[in-house]
Amino acid sequence: MLSRIWPSVILHARSPYPSLASTLIARRTVIIPGPIEVTDEVLYANAHPSVSHMSADFAAVFGESIRMTRDVVRTTTAQPFLISGSGTLGWDQESATMALETYGAQVDQLRAEFGGTVDVAQVEQALRSKKYKIVTITHVDTSTGVLSDPRLVAEAVKRLSPDTLVVLDAVCAVASEDIQMDGWGIDVVITASQKGLGAPRASAAMKVFETRSKPVTAFYASWKRWLPIMKAYESGSAAYFATPPVNLIRAYHESLSQINKASPTLDERLRMHRETSARIKVAATELGLRQLATLPEIAANGMTALWCPDGVKSSELVPAFLQRGVVVAGGLGTRKGTHFRPRPYPPPHCPHMGITAINSERGDVDRIIDVLREVISEATSRR
Ligand SMILES: Cc1ncc(COP(=O)(O)O)c(C=O)c1O
């Protein structure tokens, strides 16, 4: 198993870090919604000896990471912010800048049925009823594995209320689902890779931010403080507001480099995710398991959330997966304990992400399906 993941020849030739290799003995297949499986190259990038965040070498890496971030969400105009923090920091940044509920905004929430999506007609009705500053959309709802259609919502917003900004929470979607920031008119994309990453479009969101009448109500999370830093790094020189996570940026850079390689292209990667997702979903259906997503066309491609078989709790299934070396997440939300979330997995955090989905030599998908079969048949035979 060791050689499957880290061929020993590579290990000896490249690894100056034997302690890293020794951790592999206990290595499991992690298919939770982050942290996810990453490539060896990303692991090595993360283990790079320390460099100064003000050095020219690091400025080049940071600047390239900013540029490559645009490609993943298909924009040429957005301003990426690579900030140390989790996905929630992305929301804090956005809220601090635009003033959402925590910061005093009035919020209307359009609710979907469990396992469903909000109908675009509901969005249109809301947009006709009053003027909104922002419409936010969760691309993939991580609790249910439901995929929304940001293109349709953005189109309705631009048609009925062109000044309203469209903000996409793509924490669980970037690089496993298609995101066309420029093409669909999304103003801000929020995602994460152990660091908050927001990419507001220059034209709309940045203008709103620049013309705010009140000062931004945050210190660390303020775009104002980070914008000159991002611009400096992108132009090849270092600048300081707060110390960036140097090694995480290196690992992120490595991930983006893999994603932006000619082969497979981003389109091919997305197709591979759809194929992997279909394999897992078919296998689950054959086992009599139902997805939380109520329709196939609203099921995410980077994860699968399944109802437990009748009479079986996710608290029984999760340890059974673990015993077989596969780490899955138990169900969350209103029906706690009744569903679980094996993920084929890729997304948000790791833009190279699809290693489980796109590298069939690893055998992750076969393993997930085999273990799923074993665990479900064991649990149902005990009922
Ligand atoms: C859709 C979505 N948005 C936001 C977040 C928050 O991200 P983080 O836990 O990195 O703060 C998550 C976490 O998984 C998520 O799934």
Side-chain angles (χ1 to χ4, degrees):
M1 192 164 67
L2 191 65
S3 63
R4 177 175 70 81
I5 300 169
W6 294 46
S8 55
V9 67
I10 292 183
L11 193 65
H12 294 142
R14 295 187 53 187
S15 175
Y17 314 111
S19 59
L20 254 188
S22 66
T23 64
L24 295 173
I25 290 159
R27 194 159 171 179
R28 296 177 167 128
T29 306
V30 178
I31 49 167
I32 61 168
I36 62 166
E37 292 288 322
V38 300
T39 63
D40 294 347
E41 289 81 359
V42 171
L43 284 179
Y44 278 118
N46 206 19
H48 193 278
S50 295
V51 295
S52 163
H53 55 290
M54 302 304 284
S55 66
D57 282 358
F58 181 68
V61 170
F62 203 129
E64 231 175 68
S65 301
I66 291 175
R67 283 188 287 278
M68 289 194 289
T69 298
R70 290 195 183 93
D71 298 337
V72 181
V73 293
R74 307 197 204 250
T75 178
T76 53
T77 56
Q79 173 60 60
F81 287 87
L82 272 48
I83 319 281
S84 168
S86 75
T88 305
L89 175 65
W91 271 113
D92 245 4
Q93 279 188 282
E94 172 59 26
S95 309
T97 303
M98 306 297 175
L100 294 188
E101 209 166 30
T102 315
Y103 295 86
Q106 306 281 317
V107 175
D108 291 332
Q109 205 174 14
L110 301 181
R111 291 181 183 277
E113 288 295 310
F114 193 82
T117 54
V118 170
D119 195 323
V120 75
Q122 285 174 264
V123 180
E124 289 175 347
Q125 197 182 11
L127 288 168
R128 287 195 182 98
S129 71
K130 64 167 104 146
K131 177 89 184 156
Y132 289 95
K133 252 181 156 174
I134 295 182
V135 168
T136 71
I137 313 160
T138 302
H139 200 173
V140 170
D141 175 58
T142 317
S143 297
T144 58
V146 168
L147 175 69
S148 62
D149 190 338
R151 186 185 55 82
L152 277 186
V153 178
E155 188 277 321
V157 173
K158 298 300 161 198
R159 181 165 33 87
L160 297 172
S161 181
D163 295 338
T164 301
L165 296 177
V166 179
V167 178
L168 184 67
D169 178 338
V171 168
C172 195
V174 163
S176 65
E177 307 291 350
D178 191 19
I179 299 175
Q180 304 206 12
M181 199 172 175
D182 288 354
W184 301 344
I186 309 287
D187 295 300
V188 180
V189 172
I190 293 172
T191 187
S193 69
Q194 310 305 336
K195 33 196 177 286
L197 160 67
R201 286 202 308 161
S203 51
M206 293 306 288
K207 204 167 283 164
V208 170
F209 155 68
E210 277 158 11
T211 54
R212 269 180 63 97
S213 53
K214 292 186 190 143
V216 173
T217 51
F219 187 70
Y220 184 80
S222 165
W223 283 352
K224 184 169 183 257
R225 295 196 170 81
W226 286 108
L227 185 58
I229 310 300
M230 297 301 134
K231 285 191 182 300
Y233 274 120
E234 189 166 3
S235 70
S237 56
Y240 179 78
F241 162 56
T243 311
V246 175
N247 280 21
L248 280 179
I249 296 283
R250 280 194 168 273
Y252 182 64
H253 178 270
E254 180 58 42
S255 299
L256 289 171
S257 307
Q258 291 179 0
I259 259 199
N260 291 330
K261 274 195 313 209
S263 177
T265 61
L266 181 55
D267 281 335
E268 285 162 353
R269 282 177 172 258
L270 296 175
R271 178 183 51 75
M272 288 171 177
H273 282 98
R274 289 194 291 274
E275 286 170 5
T276 295
S277 176
R279 271 192 69 196
I280 303 248
K281 286 171 170 76
V282 166
T285 307
E286 283 169 3
L287 290 168
L289 300 171
R290 279 185 311 119
Q291 291 178 56
L292 268 66
T294 49
L295 294 168
E297 58 270 27
I298 58 164
N301 294 294
M303 61 168 287
T304 303
L306 299 165
W307 290 111
C308 296
D310 285 346
V312 176
K313 288 205 154 58
S314 68
S315 54
E316 296 167 52
L317 296 178
V318 173
F321 273 94
L322 192 58
Q323 268 170 12
R324 292 164 173 85
V326 176
V327 183
V328 296
L332 298 174
T334 52
R335 304 186 192 185
K336 194 171 166 102
T338 55
H339 71 275
F340 65 108
R341 308 184 294 176
R343 289 140 205 279
Y345 211 44
H349 319 211
C350 299
H352 72 282
M353 75 194 195
I355 180 169
T356 292
I358 73 161
N359 182 343
S360 57
E361 280 170 24
R362 289 172 57 93
D364 287 357
V365 180
D366 295 335
R367 189 152 180 234
I368 291 165
I369 291 174
D370 288 348
V371 172
L372 181 68
R373 286 195 182 117
E374 272 179 48
V375 166
I376 295 301
S377 92
E378 187 183 85
T380 48
S381 67
R382 271 202 313 267
R383 274 184 311 190

